[in-house]
């Protein structure tokens, strides 16, 4: 599978995405409230004091909480992705992998696969992103869409992970085969969340039919940071 290396637009998108994620993570993981019998009085806890609860004072710790999430990033490489869609998909995959790799020490684990009739391993959970970034250049569009076998393989790798949250994130033009919602709902029963980035089209019906609620749309490289952030921001971490 052949293609161009991630271009400057893709790299710029990765940097902008990483910056936005850093802001999100700083807000959500930097501090946490701990309630006890000393500290600053918390107004919304006063009703508890009436009932005799002494844990009504708030103090903020400086401790960071681990994110504890495993992400399986799946990039659609089927024939319908030929042209600009594949260029965008490579850029989105590169941007996501580069951005998330910065948070490995905070509990983010990532694997990346491409799929059409076959499954192509871009990055395994144990591999570092810098050593695998050029593999994105070999993702090209051809063949059919092995949506179900790819998801099943990802479920197997996610199942043995110790992280408390597990997420499958698709990058696709929306053609996920017949009845994708059945498989997506099956993932839900196993505690696996599904999100996505739709490339080359703003037709949200694709993900709506698959019952994927959290997704963004990227019609060009400039859309990548906002599309990915939209797919990730709500309760992602």
């Amino acid at each position: 599978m052949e293609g161009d290396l991630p271009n400057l637009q893709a790299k710029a998108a990765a940097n902008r995405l990483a910056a936005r994620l850093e802001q999100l993570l700083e807000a959500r993981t930097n501090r946490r409230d701990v309630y006890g019998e000393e500290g600053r009085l918390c107004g919304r806890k006063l009703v508890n004091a009436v009932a005799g609860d002494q844990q009504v004072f708030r103090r903020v710790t400086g401790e960071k909480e681990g994110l504890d999430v495993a992400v399986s990033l799946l990039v659609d490489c089927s024939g319908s992705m030929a042209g600009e869609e594949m260029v965008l998909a490579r850029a989105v995959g590169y941007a996501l992998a580069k951005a998330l790799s910065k948070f490995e020490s905070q509990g983010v684990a990532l694997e990346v696969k491409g799929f059409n009739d076959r499954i192509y391993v871009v990055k395994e959970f144990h591999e570092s992103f810098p050593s695998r970034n050029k593999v994105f250049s070999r993702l090209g569009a051809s063949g059919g869409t092995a949506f179900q076998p790819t998801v099943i393989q990802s479920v197997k790798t996610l199942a043995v992970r110790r992280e408390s949250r597990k997420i499958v994130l698709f990058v696709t033009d929306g053609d996920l085969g017949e009845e994708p919602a059945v498989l997506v709902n099956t993932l839900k029963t196993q505690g696996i969340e599904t999100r996505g980035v739709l490339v080359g089209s703003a037709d949200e019906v694709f993900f709506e039919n698959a019952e994927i609620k959290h997704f963004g749309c990227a019609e060009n490289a400039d859309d990548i940071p906002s599309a990915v952030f939209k797919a990730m921001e709500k309760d992602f971490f």
Side-chain angles (χ1 to χ4, degrees):
M1 307 178 76
E2 298 179 354
D4 299 328
L5 290 173
N7 57 29
L8 292 178
Q9 282 183 307
K11 292 179 180 179
N15 291 334
R16 292 198 301 273
L17 175 62
R20 293 189 70 175
L21 285 176
E22 284 172 4
Q23 292 176 352
L24 174 67
L25 293 174
E26 183 68 19
R28 295 193 179 183
T29 68
N30 190 36
R31 294 178 181 272
R32 56 180 176 176
D33 292 339
V34 175
Y35 297 96
E37 296 182 9
E38 60 181 14
R40 180 178 297 178
L41 184 63
C42 178
R44 62 188 176 88
K45 285 278 187 175
L46 287 178
V47 65
N48 295 27
V50 176
D53 186 359
Q54 299 301 308
Q55 308 290 314
V56 295
F57 294 91
R58 181 176 60 195
R59 58 187 176 86
V60 180
T61 74
E63 300 176 10
K64 290 191 175 183
E65 298 179 59
L67 297 171
D68 202 26
V69 59
V71 180
S72 182
L73 174 60
L74 306 180
V75 181
D76 188 350
C77 300
S78 61
S80 65
M81 296 283 290
E84 184 62 22
E85 281 80 1
M86 195 67 247
V87 175
L88 274 172
R90 282 197 297 269
V92 170
Y94 172 86
L96 261 166
K98 182 177 180 182
L100 290 180
S101 68
K102 294 185 177 183
F103 305 110
E104 290 180 346
S105 63
Q106 296 186 50
V108 177
L110 174 72
E111 70 166 2
V112 186
K113 296 171 184 166
F115 67 96
N116 49 25
D117 292 319
R118 298 170 54 196
I119 299 172
Y120 305 88
V121 177
V122 178
K123 176 190 176 301
E124 295 187 70
F125 279 115
H126 67 272
E127 294 177 310
S128 66
F129 173 70
S131 69
R132 303 295 291 170
N133 61 352
K134 292 185 179 180
V135 179
F136 282 100
S137 68
R138 297 200 290 272
L139 294 179
S142 64
T145 307
F147 172 69
Q148 191 166 13
T150 305
V151 173
I152 290 173
Q153 188 181 98
S154 290
V155 169
K156 290 179 180 178
T157 58
L158 285 171
V160 298
R161 300 294 306 179
R162 295 183 176 180
E163 288 79 9
S164 61
R165 295 189 64 193
K166 299 172 183 180
I167 298 171
V168 173
L169 199 157
F170 292 99
V171 181
T172 178
D173 63 347
D175 183 6
L176 296 176
E178 296 182 3
E179 298 185 348
V182 174
L183 192 54
V184 169
N185 286 318
T186 299
L187 293 181
K188 289 180 184 178
T189 65
Q190 300 183 36
I192 298 175
E193 304 167 42
T194 309
R195 296 168 184 252
V197 176
L198 192 65
V199 295
S201 171
D203 190 353
E204 300 181 359
V205 70
F206 290 121
F207 279 164
E208 290 172 354
N209 287 342
E211 297 187 18
I212 297 175
K213 296 181 179 179
H214 302 302
F215 63 89
C217 301
E219 295 189 67
N220 53 61
D222 290 336
D223 293 338
I224 291 174
S226 59
V228 173
F229 197 76
K230 185 177 180 181
M232 296 170 64
E233 63 176 336
K234 186 172 178 57
D235 302 324
F236 192 90
F237 295 116

